[in-house]
Amino acid sequence: MAAEIVNPRSDSDNSAPGVDGGTRGKGSAGFEGDGEPLDSFDPAFALHRGGKMAIQATVPVRDKDELSLAYTPGVARVCSAIAEQPDLVHDYTWKSQVVAVVTDGTAVLGLGDIGPEASLPVMEGKAILFKQFAGVDAVPIALATTDADEIVETVVRLAPSFGGVNLEDISAPRCFEIERKLQERLDIPVFHDDQHGTAVVTLAALRNAAKLTGRTLGDLRAVISGAGAAGVAIAKFLLEAGIGDVAVADRKGIVSRDRDDLNPAKQELAEITNRAGLSGGLDAALAGADVFIGVSGGTVPEAAVASMAPRSFVFAMANPDPEVHPTVAHKYAAVVATGRSDFPNQINNVLAFPGIFAGALQVRASRITEGMKIAAADALAAVVGDELAADYVIPSPFDERVAPAVTAAVAAAARAEGVARR
């Protein structure tokens, strides 16, 4: 079976029944106050009606002979073989090419804690991006619990059906614990995209921005606004990749050793970041900084942006409103990136996660290593090649070179690091 990017309802089907079999009445979910379906007012609702994906068989079942092979009695021979040689599950089921997209609905896009049901449109979207950009099947799984241990136990029990686990939209700091525990207990890739996908694409763009201005990563001092999942992961990843220095600021100021209000994740961050020993708030940290990376929302004063070093980079990635509007950032920065598709240099996770999982699944990797993520970032940066320019430091998500390049680089890195099993 394969998860297809299809909607089984026709475009003209705007009269779907309610859960009780009747038509939903005025004022109920899916209708405006005047009784018209939301589809009539907003094309997003029309697109989402009935969901964005379906399951489709990859083999025909047209007669009794095909039925006997696809199901009983033929299927019993395959089951028995797998019972005797468990590794055959990768060859004779879809396990090795399907990912579970798991959430608890606590940190959905910019919407926050909206619950598992409301998260499903996003999880479906994530699944079709896996399929569209890398040919990887994915299944949305929204869990009705926010307890870290319950999430871990549930995913562990589901794991025999999947070749990898993509954690999505789980709030910090629980997301760190959940990912760590799952990595310890499972022998398949576990990847929290809000952390690592963002970090991979950020590093790729930053490498190219540095190259464009005749610098290396080691020449740069970066300031990150936001110490949640993305901010923590980006800071650690940039340090792993060799950045000169990085400071992270949350709502109370720079994350540093002298603060006594830090959770364990931020305490760990304080030990490895801010080598310059900066104190105070975000504005103070930006003075003389080479890079601003925003993953928190809010607005950075123009004066703070103006205080950055010459030829600085502003990656303001909050959606829908960047921390620094591009028109302001361009006054002072050599390279400007956002998380939006209507400005150049979009930092979009879809550039990373489909290819990363495709590469890991291709070689049946037991996990996704730092080396595999750095390889993904390097491959992504290399796609830009000789076209490198201030408004083109990162490729478009629709560049057909992206997923194959990332897939190949990740697969090669997995083999080099000894986590590949084929």
Side-chain angles (χ1 to χ4, degrees), residues 38-114:
L38 291 172
D39 302 23
S40 303
F41 300 93
D42 189 332
F45 281 88
L47 182 143
H48 282 78
R49 180 173 287 278
K52 300 193 290 290
M53 58 186 293
I55 299 296
Q56 179 172 314
T58 59
V59 297
V61 184
R62 295 166 297 199
D63 54 39
K64 65 182 182 63
D65 291 332
E66 290 176 345
L67 177 60
S68 70
L69 290 174
Y71 201 54
T72 185
V75 72
R77 299 196 297 275
V78 180
C79 292
S80 297
I82 294 172
E84 292 176 7
Q85 301 180 59
D87 281 351
L88 291 179
V89 70
H90 297 286
D91 297 313
Y92 296 105
T93 74
W94 78 338
K95 176 182 172 72
S96 64
Q97 57 190 351
V98 65
V99 171
V101 181
V102 178
T103 189
D104 63 359
T106 55
V108 181
L109 295 177
L111 303 174
D113 185 355
I114 59 174

Side-chain angles (χ1 to χ4, degrees), residues 96 101 110 115 121 143 145 187 196 214-215 230 251 269-270 281 302 317 330 341 374 382 391 402:
S96 64
V101 181
L143 302 179
T145 178
D187 65 347
H196 310 301
R215 288 175 284 180
R251 292 183 180 87
L269 201 61
E302 182 172 345
M317 299 188 286
H330 277 297
S341 60
I374 288 177
D391 62 353
V402 168

Side-chain angles (χ1 to χ4, degrees), residues 222-299:
V223 177
I224 299 174
S225 175
V232 170
I234 292 170
K236 290 181 177 180
F237 196 50
L238 293 183
L239 288 170
E240 180 77 19
I243 197 165
D245 193 12
V246 58
V248 182
D250 62 11
R251 292 183 180 87
K252 296 182 179 180
I254 298 170
V255 174
S256 58
R257 295 177 182 178
D258 59 0
R259 285 179 50 180
D260 59 5
D261 60 344
L262 303 178
N263 63 38
K266 292 181 183 180
Q267 289 174 1
E268 180 185 356
L269 201 61
E271 294 297 321
I272 60 174
T273 59
N274 192 24
R275 296 166 184 161
L278 302 174
S279 60
L282 176 67
D283 295 8
L286 282 175
D290 302 291
V291 185
F292 168 75
I293 298 171
V295 285
S296 66
T299 301

Side-chain angles (χ1 to χ4, degrees), residues 16-389:
V19 294
D20 61 353
T23 302
R24 290 172 290 189
K26 186 179 291 187
S28 65
F31 283 73
E32 289 284 0
D34 61 1
E36 289 294 317
L38 291 172
D39 302 23
S40 303
F41 300 93
D42 189 332
F45 281 88
L47 182 143
H48 282 78
R49 180 173 287 278
K52 300 193 290 290
M53 58 186 293
I55 299 296
Q56 179 172 314
T58 59
V59 297
V61 184
R62 295 166 297 199
D63 54 39
K64 65 182 182 63
D65 291 332
E66 290 176 345
L67 177 60
S68 70
L69 290 174
Y71 201 54
T72 185
V75 72
R77 299 196 297 275
V78 180
C79 292
S80 297
I82 294 172
E84 292 176 7
Q85 301 180 59
D87 281 351
L88 291 179
V89 70
H90 297 286
D91 297 313
Y92 296 105
T93 74
W94 78 338
K95 176 182 172 72
S96 64
Q97 57 190 351
V98 65
V99 171
V101 181
V102 178
T103 189
D104 63 359
T106 55
V108 181
L109 295 177
L111 303 174
D113 185 355
I114 59 174
E117 289 86 358
S119 77
L120 272 175
V122 177
M123 300 309 114
E124 287 182 6
K126 199 77 172 189
I128 68 173
L129 295 179
F130 268 109
K131 188 69 173 179
Q132 177 73 33
F133 290 102
V136 173
D137 290 302
V139 178
I141 298 175
L143 302 179
T145 178
T146 60
D147 181 88
D149 288 332
E150 288 184 357
I151 291 172
V152 170
E153 292 298 329
T154 301
V155 175
V156 167
R157 283 161 174 73
L158 290 170
S161 296
F162 299 97
V165 176
N166 183 93
L167 299 174
E168 187 74 19
D169 293 348
I170 299 174
S171 63
R174 294 175 312 115
C175 60
F176 306 121
E177 176 188 1
I178 290 168
E179 183 185 47
R180 175 180 56 78
K181 288 182 175 180
L182 285 173
Q183 287 173 334
E184 291 171 352
R185 295 183 60 181
L186 298 178
D187 65 347
I188 58 175
V190 178
F191 185 84
H192 185 206
D193 186 51
D194 302 309
Q195 293 183 59
H196 310 301
T198 308
V200 165
V201 183
T202 300
L203 175 60
L206 195 55
R207 281 204 192 284
N208 275 342
K211 180 180 178 181
L212 182 69
T213 57
R215 288 175 284 180
T216 67
L217 210 62
D219 298 324
L220 305 177
R221 178 172 73 83
V223 177
I224 299 174
S225 175
V232 170
I234 292 170
K236 290 181 177 180
F237 196 50
L238 293 183
L239 288 170
E240 180 77 19
I243 197 165
D245 193 12
V246 58
V248 182
D250 62 11
R251 292 183 180 87
K252 296 182 179 180
I254 298 170
V255 174
S256 58
R257 295 177 182 178
D258 59 0
R259 285 179 50 180
D260 59 5
D261 60 344
L262 303 178
N263 63 38
K266 292 181 183 180
Q267 289 174 1
E268 180 185 356
L269 201 61
E271 294 297 321
I272 60 174
T273 59
N274 192 24
R275 296 166 184 161
L278 302 174
S279 60
L282 176 67
D283 295 8
L286 282 175
D290 302 291
V291 185
F292 168 75
I293 298 171
V295 285
S296 66
T299 301
V300 176
E302 182 172 345
V305 181
S307 74
M308 294 178 67
R311 301 183 303 157
S312 61
F313 313 140
V314 172
F315 292 4
M317 299 188 286
N319 270 313
D321 299 313
E323 294 89 346
V324 183
H325 194 277
T327 56
V328 173
H330 277 297
K331 294 180 183 179
Y332 311 101
V335 177
V336 177
T338 71
R340 288 172 47 155
S341 60
D342 54 345
F343 292 109
N345 296 326
Q346 184 189 19
I347 307 295
N348 191 329
N349 289 13
V350 77
L351 289 163
F353 70 81
I356 289 174
F357 268 100
L361 293 175
Q362 184 181 95
V363 298
R364 295 182 190 166
S366 58
R367 58 193 176 94
I368 294 173
T369 66
E370 291 299 299
M372 292 162 71
K373 290 183 284 186
I374 288 177
D378 290 346
L380 186 54
V383 169
V384 172
D386 294 338
E387 301 171 74
L388 181 62

